[in-house]
Amino acid sequence: RSHPQVVVTLQVDAADAPLAPDAALALYRAAQEGITNALRHGGARAITLALHRDGGELALDVTDDGRGLPPDWQQRPGHHGLRWMAERLAALRGRFALAPAQPQGVRLTVAVPLEGAS
């Protein structure tokens, strides 16, 4: 409601994926962080969340059409949400990536192992 001009698209291709509660919470928090950053820092007008299986993992891509990442974003202070996310995913044996999206914006990718995956 606070951003009526923003179009959010959700694509789910893994509704029945077996996921541990900690992994599900990590994906939920990653989606929150990705959306918050896209709106607060990127000025995004469109955000896409895509959840899909990737081998033995469940992956979430949050892509926006905002301003993108400044070249020195990793050296700037702050980014506590991104740091927390990376640490949480590492503890779950997951992965985290943040990169420019094409033609503009940011793409956040996180993945967690499916329950029972080796």
Side-chain angles (χ1 to χ4, degrees):
R1 293 180 192 177
S2 62
H3 298 277
Q5 76 284 6
V6 177
V7 175
V8 178
T9 304
L10 177 62
Q11 302 166 349
V12 178
D13 187 21
D16 62 343
L19 201 58
D22 286 350
L25 181 60
L27 288 176
Y28 176 77
R29 295 292 185 205
Q32 277 185 317
E33 185 70 16
I35 292 169
T36 298
N37 287 345
L39 296 173
R40 183 176 296 154
H41 304 296
R45 304 288 254 163
I47 302 169
T48 300
L49 292 94
L51 188 66
H52 56 93
R53 285 181 186 243
D54 187 6
E57 297 178 319
L58 188 59
L60 171 69
D61 293 317
V62 181
T63 307
D64 70 67
D65 68 346
R67 287 185 287 276
L69 297 166
D72 63 344
W73 74 271
Q74 290 179 315
Q75 286 75 40
R76 292 184 180 193
H79 305 294
H80 302 293
L82 293 174
R83 288 189 183 115
W84 172 89
M85 185 187 329
E87 290 172 8
R88 182 73 179 136
L89 289 163
L92 294 169
R93 296 180 341 272
R95 46 188 182 90
F96 160 90
L98 190 64
Q102 297 302 322
Q104 70 183 46
V106 174
R107 181 176 182 180
L108 166 67
T109 301
V110 297
V112 293
L114 291 169
E115 204 168 60
S118 57

